């Protein structure tokens, strides 16, 4: 009897098993059925989500929490298009997510077949790379190449579109031994000349500042950066996504910079005479008005992607390479300068302009209060994810991150709906780490159907809903820049979030008064039998400060609520 | 490329000189489905027009050669080149500003000069001057084939203007470096 030949789907799953994939997040459908079928015999655990967007964010959360790729499997047509937001989210923040999409059989391609969509076409702008496989024999080569692109260089999402005849058809092609992508180069370390120039500049600076971005998190550069900061006695600031690369509670750490960063971080940005981006991309949320950003400072840029150099802000010294290896190579080269006066100045700012919020009284529950108590009670041991909006910025300000890969937030895309599913993915990845999703009442409702997924798997993930009954961040902008003409921000009709969570079978608690904060949070922390949702009913009209109005110079930061009318933002969204 | 350390301006993309310079990009790409779309999207996304585009198989199997001409803000173009180089399927990209070493383009031009026209002699003279070949002569029209650099074509087209140009199609420039180049090395390796 002839030995039976594997199908394309079986070969695919076997490859993923060998690559160490533990979970696949997905939702099935006709065109993907051969792959779902192959999963029945696999040790890879399939996590059925309630929506494909949720699956992509779970894979993203899994990837950010571990550094390993997250894998998504969906069907063709609408299943595939539902992953687009997740792809954008992963692309903008450089996250390795592999999206496998079912597709109509090759003989139907282009004929408007049932649930056919030009998925590679739709997703070109939101992937690092993508493939449409047109024969089963090609599958092993393509999948191996896709995995290589996924796991090397600057990370990003990769999509593989898999027609049903490819996954169902026989494949006896040998496992390819080599990968041949002559156009794909992975920088590792800058040349010595650039490193020496950077070391000299760092040593000469009187007011140096290290600006740490997501690249530092991704490459695990934190320890090296902390050592560099210590050796140079240079303060550190980080972006929203750089949180945790270097312990934010350290004495040389000034917290987050940028639009809603701390006043002292932004004052340091304005006054520094050297700024070195380590895995940051001088995003408009960091620079504000580019023409006015650090004009007199020497600007150094460490990045693994040469296309980031001189994209928004020009730099004097460009260090192309992996952030960790680059900083490690700089360390023995630098000679510290005298930064005593600079550190004293930063300390004075820290004392003069601390992060504050209105002091609590029993009728007004404030998000900042709840979050600073969460920060205290979790003792820096919880992994936190956020959604997008005011709560995200307050969480970034008041929940300090102490270790790498303990803070997951959608920065580049600003994707509402990200926080909760990302937390589920992170909890799968790290079952022993407490995981909290901090979400707004608006964004939570975009993906809350994944409560079912969390309940089915009894994941001890916690959700803290900062419920202000508004699309709060937009309301804040309307208040500040549009004469408080509120338009489409009132979330009347919100459900009872506690009852809703209970309906799914989750534990649910509510905080209505400041006096309840510690008890409720502690009860949630202690609960381990499944998901626990905590709704904090906070004051409706609080604003996030400090704030650099979009497009304004960093020096124009508002530390508190302005008394005068503000111009509409012009430089950026 | 690093900027001048004494410059106080740091914004990368600014309206600048050189807006009218024609850049000729030559690319070696893997011959894969979708590679042209990916390249086109790099331009389109930044509101950049592709002036001309010529694609053909390269000397080595599995690779294609592309020549793209484009015009606009040089800083943006520099970004475009970096983004092109970053594409997984793009093996090499080089920018030849203004005049690339070797350059050629073909054009077919239909003019309103037919068999019996008394302007045939004049047309013939222009054709001679610019090395053009009359490839078709009909009742009311003639078609000329021109080969040359972009400038030569431009000159020929100006000379043909009085003959009622009715249709014009150009292949777009193709370019090549003289002698041994990065590309010869690259393609020999693979
Ligand atoms: C998918 C998506 N749609 C719209 C926006 C624009 N947006 C940014 S913040 C925000 C308000 C978020 O409201 P909520 O989730 O309640 O959080 P809050 O700001 O109140 O903390 C909106 C609508 C977005 N970022 N993402």
């Amino acid at each position: 009897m002839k030995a039976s030949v594997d199908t394309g789907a079986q070969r695919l799953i076997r490859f993923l098993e060998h690559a160490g994939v533990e979970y696949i997040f997905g939702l099935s459908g006709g065109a993907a059925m051969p792959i779902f079928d192959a999963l029945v015999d696999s040790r890879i655990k399939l996590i059925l989500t309630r929506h494909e967007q949720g699956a992509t964010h779970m894979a993203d959360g899994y990837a950010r929490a571990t550094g390993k790729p997250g894998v998504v499997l969906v069907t063709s047509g609408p299943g595939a298009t539902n992953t687009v937001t997740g792809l954008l989210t992963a692309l903008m923040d450089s996250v390795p997510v592999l999206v496998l999409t079912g597709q109509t059989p090759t003989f139907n391609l282009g004929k408007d077949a049932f649930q056919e969509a030009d998925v590679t076409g739709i997703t070109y702008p939101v992937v690092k790379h993508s493939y449409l496989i047109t024969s089963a024999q090609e599958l092993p080569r393509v999948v191996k190449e896709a995995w290589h692109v996924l796991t090397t260089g600057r990370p990003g999402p990769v999509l593989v579109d898999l027609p049903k005849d490819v996954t169902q058809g026989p494949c006896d092609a040998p496992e390819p031994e080599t990968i041949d992508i002559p156009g794909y180069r992975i920088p590792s370390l800058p040349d010595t000349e650039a490193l020496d120039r950077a070391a000299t500049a760092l040593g000469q600076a009187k007011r140096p500042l290290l600006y740490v971005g997501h690249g530092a998190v991704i490459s695990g550069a934190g320890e090296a950066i902390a050592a560099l900061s210590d050796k140079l006695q240079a303060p550190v600031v980080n972006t929203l996504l750089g949180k945790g690369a270097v312990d934010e509670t350290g004495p040389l750490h000034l917290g987050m910079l940028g639009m809603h960063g701390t006043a002292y971080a932004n004052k340091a940005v304005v006054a520094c005479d050297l700024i070195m981006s380590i895995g940051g991309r001088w995003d408009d949320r960091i620079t504000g008005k580019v023409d006015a950003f650090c004009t007199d400072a020497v600007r150094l840029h460490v990045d693994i992607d040469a296309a980031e150099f001189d994209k928004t802000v020009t730099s004097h010294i460009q260090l192309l390479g992996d952030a960790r290896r680059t900083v490690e190579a700089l360390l023995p080269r630098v000679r510290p300068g005298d930064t005593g006066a600079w550190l004293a100045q930063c300390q004075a700012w820290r004392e003069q302009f601390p992060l504050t919020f209105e002091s609590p009284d029993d009728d007004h529950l404030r998000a900042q209060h709840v979050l600073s108590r969460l920060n205290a009670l979790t003792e820096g041991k919880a992994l936190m994810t956020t959604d997008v909006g005011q709560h995200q910025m307050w969480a970034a300000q008041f929940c300090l991150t102490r270790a790498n890969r303990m803070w997951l937030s959608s920065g580049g895309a600003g994707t509402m709906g990200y926080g909760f599913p990302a937390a589920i993915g992170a909890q799968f990845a790290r079952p022993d780490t407490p995981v909290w999703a901090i979400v707004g009442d608006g964004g939570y409702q975009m993906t809350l159907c994944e409560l079912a997924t969390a309940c089915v798997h009894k994941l001890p993930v916690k959700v803290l809903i900062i419920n202000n009954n508004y699309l709060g961040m937009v309301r804040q902008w309307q208040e500040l820049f549009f004469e408080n003409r509120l338009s489409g921000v009132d979330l009347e009709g919100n459900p009872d979030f506690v009852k809703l969570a209970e309906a799914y079978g989750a534990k649910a608690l509510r905080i209505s008064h400041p006096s309840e904060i510690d008890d409720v949070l502690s009860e949630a922390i202690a609960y381990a039998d499944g998901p626990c949702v905590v709704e904090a009913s906070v004051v409706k009209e609080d604003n996030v400060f400090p704030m650099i109005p979009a497009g304004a110079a960093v020096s124009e930061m508002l530390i508190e609520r302005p008394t005068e009318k503000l111009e509409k933002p012009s430089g950026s969204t | 490329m690093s900027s001048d350390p004494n410059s106080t301006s740091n914004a990368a993309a600014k309206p600048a000189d050189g807006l009218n310079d024609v850049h000729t990009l030559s690319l070696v790409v893997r011959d894969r489905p979708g590679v042209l779309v990916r390249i086109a999207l790099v331009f389109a996304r930044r509101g950049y027009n592709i002036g001309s585009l010529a694609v053909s198989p390269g000397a080595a199997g599995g690779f294609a050669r592309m020549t793209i001409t484009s015009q606009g803000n040089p800083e943006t173009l520099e970004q475009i080149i970096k983004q092109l180089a970053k594409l997984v399927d793009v093996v090499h990209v080089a920018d030849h500003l203004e005049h690339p070493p070797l350059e050629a383009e073909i054009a077919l031009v239909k003019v309103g000069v037919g068999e019996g026209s008394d302007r045939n002699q004049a047309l013939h003279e222009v054709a001679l001057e610019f090395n053009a070949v009359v490839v078709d002569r009909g009742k009311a029209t003639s078609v000329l084939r021109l080969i040359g650099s972009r400038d030569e074509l431009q000159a020929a087209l100006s000379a043909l203007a009085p003959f009622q140009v009715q249709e014009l199609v150009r292949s777009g420039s193709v370019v090549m470096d003289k002698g041994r180049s990065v590309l010869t090395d690259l393609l020999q390796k693979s």
Side-chain angles (χ1 to χ4, degrees):
Chain A
M1 211 178 78
K2 216 175 108 203
S4 70
V5 173
D6 281 345
T7 62
Q10 287 169 324
R11 291 292 295 272
L12 169 70
I13 296 305
R14 192 139 41 86
F15 177 91
L16 296 176
E17 287 174 349
H18 286 304
V21 173
E22 300 172 275
Y23 293 103
I24 291 182
F25 303 94
L27 204 154
S28 60
M33 287 181 70
I35 314 173
F36 279 87
D37 185 64
L39 274 174
V40 173
D41 305 315
S42 172
R43 61 169 184 266
I44 297 176
K45 291 182 267 301
L46 170 66
I47 307 301
L48 169 63
T49 67
R50 294 303 181 264
H51 190 293
E52 291 87 351
Q53 180 183 353
T56 55
H57 296 329
M58 285 180 207
D60 176 312
Y62 177 93
R64 293 194 208 211
T66 58
K68 295 192 281 182
V71 183
V72 176
L73 171 60
V74 299
T75 191
S76 64
T81 56
N82 274 346
T83 68
V84 170
T85 302
L87 287 167
L88 175 73
T89 308
L91 181 79
M92 292 292 266
D93 291 347
S94 307
V95 185
V97 172
L98 178 66
V99 174
L100 305 167
T101 50
Q103 179 57 285
T104 194
T106 50
F107 52 80
N108 265 344
L109 285 173
K111 296 182 182 169
D112 303 320
F114 176 63
Q115 292 194 327
E116 184 193 358
D118 176 4
V119 172
T120 47
I122 288 170
T123 58
Y124 279 129
V126 289
V127 295
K128 177 177 176 183
H129 199 53
S130 57
Y131 302 85
L132 164 63
I133 306 188
T134 50
S135 90
Q137 292 296 70
E138 222 186 277
L139 183 138
R141 182 190 60 73
V142 174
V143 171
K144 190 179 173 86
E145 181 181 310
W147 193 261
H148 177 69
V149 172
L150 183 72
T151 52
T152 54
R154 178 178 180 174
V158 172
L159 180 139
V160 182
D161 202 18
L162 295 146
K164 195 170 180 175
D165 51 337
V166 168
T167 51
Q168 215 157 19
C171 173
D172 61 4
E175 206 50 47
E177 278 166 20
T178 55
I179 297 164
D180 181 28
I181 329 178
Y184 183 66
R185 285 165 285 259
I186 308 154
S188 58
L189 205 57
D191 54 58
T192 28
E193 194 259 345
L195 287 169
D196 288 338
R197 282 178 62 212
T200 307
L202 284 164
Q204 284 170 350
K206 295 269 172 299
R207 301 186 303 281
L209 184 64
L210 305 180
Y211 139 45
V212 175
H214 201 207
V217 170
I218 294 167
S219 80
E223 262 181 50
I225 296 169
L228 184 69
S229 154
D230 194 54
K231 187 167 177 188
L232 289 169
Q233 285 296 297
V236 175
V237 294
N238 52 227
T239 65
L240 175 70
L241 293 196
K243 275 169 74 74
V246 177
D247 182 350
E248 287 193 297
T249 62
L252 288 172
H253 206 300
L254 301 177
M256 182 169 79
L257 82 164
M259 183 175 272
H260 291 296
T262 63
Y264 34 99
N266 286 328
K267 286 190 175 289
V269 168
V270 172
C272 68
D273 66 354
L274 176 147
I275 184 165
M276 175 156 90
S277 161
I278 306 170
R281 56 188 177 83
W282 318 89
D283 171 82
D284 55 84
R285 285 316 192 239
I286 300 302
T287 61
K289 188 178 179 191
V290 177
D291 281 334
F293 182 78
C294 288
T295 38
D296 300 327
V298 176
R299 300 178 296 273
L300 278 57
H301 191 175
V302 179
D303 211 295
I304 198 167
D305 179 357
E308 290 300 341
F309 295 141
D310 292 347
K311 187 178 76 178
T312 57
V313 168
T314 57
S315 46
H316 303 110
I317 303 176
Q318 303 176 343
L319 300 157
L320 180 64
D322 172 74
R324 180 177 61 77
R325 296 192 54 196
T326 302
V327 177
E328 282 173 355
L330 274 175
L331 261 174
R333 289 178 156 85
V334 294
R335 301 271 163 278
D338 176 11
T339 61
W342 174 231
L343 291 183
Q345 174 65 75
C346 292
Q347 187 54 31
W349 284 325
R350 194 200 288 271
E351 283 158 21
Q352 200 182 344
F353 304 105
L355 268 179
T356 52
F357 53 90
E358 278 180 58
S359 45
D361 61 66
D362 215 43
D363 296 328
H364 298 92
L365 182 69
R366 293 191 184 275
Q368 302 95 313
H369 188 196
V370 177
L371 290 166
S372 56
R373 290 311 301 153
L374 180 66
N375 180 49
L377 293 169
T378 51
E379 300 168 332
K381 297 195 179 78
L383 184 153
M384 295 192 183
T385 76
T386 76
D387 216 78
V388 171
Q390 292 182 309
H391 65 279
Q392 176 188 33
M393 294 301 137
W394 283 320
Q397 293 174 336
F398 292 94
C399 297
L400 299 183
T401 313
R402 303 188 199 173
N404 214 27
R405 300 193 181 282
M406 292 290 272
W407 169 265
L408 321 183
S409 191
S410 168
T415 302
M416 284 171 72
Y418 172 81
F420 176 43
I424 294 177
Q427 187 75 82
F428 273 118
R430 293 167 57 173
D432 299 327
T433 303
V435 174
W436 280 82
I438 299 160
V439 300
D441 47 318
Y444 176 56
Q445 292 185 71
M446 292 191 177
T447 48
L448 69 72
C449 56
E450 303 305 344
L451 263 176
T453 315
C455 285
V456 167
H457 296 278
K458 291 205 175 307
L459 288 179
V461 59
K462 321 281 189 252
V463 184
L464 172 60
I465 309 170
I466 301 295
N467 184 4
N468 53 11
N469 280 293
Y470 271 126
L471 295 170
M473 186 57 94
V474 181
R475 187 208 54 75
Q476 171 168 347
W477 282 43
Q478 290 176 348
E479 177 192 324
L480 295 178
F481 307 114
F482 291 82
E483 291 146 1
N484 204 30
R485 287 153 54 91
L486 300 191
S487 176
V489 290
D490 191 341
L491 291 178
E492 60 177 341
N494 265 345
D496 178 327
F497 288 108
V498 168
K499 275 194 192 151
L500 184 61
E502 284 168 352
Y504 277 98
K507 179 160 181 79
L509 305 164
R510 179 176 283 125
I511 307 173
S512 309
H513 299 282
S515 56
E516 299 162 357
I517 297 175
D518 279 29
D519 285 351
V520 173
L521 291 180
S522 301
E523 187 180 349
I525 288 168
Y527 183 77
D529 292 343
C532 177
V533 175
V534 178
E535 182 197 3
S537 312
V538 300
V539 292
K540 293 180 71 174
E541 288 166 352
D542 225 342
N543 292 336
V544 185
F545 290 107
M547 176 178 195
I548 303 167
V554 178
S555 57
E556 293 169 60
M557 169 178 57
L558 307 166
I559 295 181
E560 51 198 22
R561 192 183 282 253
T563 46
E564 288 161 26
K565 189 173 163 284
L566 298 171
E567 292 292 315
K568 284 199 178 71
S570 58
S572 180
T573 49
Chain B
M1 204 186 72
S2 303
S3 54
D4 172 10
N6 300 320
S7 138
T8 50
S9 166
N10 61 351
K14 267 216 185 117
D17 297 338
L19 290 179
N20 296 321
D21 295 346
V22 176
H23 293 254
T24 308
L25 308 185
S26 74
L27 290 88
V28 177
V29 305
R30 274 211 299 187
D31 201 359
R32 289 283 160 85
V35 62
L36 185 57
V37 185
R38 290 183 214 269
I39 287 170
L41 285 171
V42 170
F43 286 83
R45 185 182 165 186
R46 294 172 177 81
Y48 243 69
N49 235 355
I50 290 179
S52 75
L53 165 70
V55 189
S56 65
F63 295 93
R65 189 76 188 254
M66 288 190 190
T67 308
I68 300 175
T69 61
S70 189
Q71 220 172 340
N73 181 319
E75 272 82 13
T76 311
L77 200 72
E78 202 181 312
Q79 252 304 302
I80 286 179
I81 291 169
K82 287 180 186 169
Q83 296 292 345
L84 290 173
K86 186 162 130 181
L87 292 175
V88 172
D89 285 337
V90 171
V91 183
H92 181 80
V93 50
D95 178 15
H96 308 273
L97 180 61
E98 281 299 341
H99 290 286
L102 298 171
E103 182 202 14
E105 185 170 1
I106 299 179
L108 294 173
V109 195
K110 190 177 288 171
V111 293
V113 177
E115 280 160 356
S117 168
D118 54 6
R119 304 192 65 204
N120 264 317
Q121 183 54 33
L123 183 64
H124 181 66
E125 276 161 26
V126 173
L128 265 185
E129 184 186 345
F130 292 97
N131 258 333
V133 179
V134 178
V135 291
D136 178 61
R137 202 182 293 273
K139 279 205 176 59
T141 58
S142 299
V143 178
L144 285 85
R145 184 179 65 206
L146 302 164
I147 301 178
S149 67
R150 198 176 20 219
D151 290 350
E152 287 163 347
L153 250 56
Q154 213 48 58
L157 289 172
S158 309
L160 287 170
F163 297 93
Q164 274 186 304
V165 175
Q166 298 180 353
E167 228 184 287
L168 167 66
V169 54
R170 298 170 63 157
S171 64
S173 305
V174 292
V175 299
M176 189 179 277
D177 278 323
K178 292 180 187 166
R180 215 183 159 75
S181 74
V182 194
L183 299 189
T184 15
D185 291 349
L186 256 174
L187 295 180
Q188 265 163 16
K189 244 189 282 161
S190 45

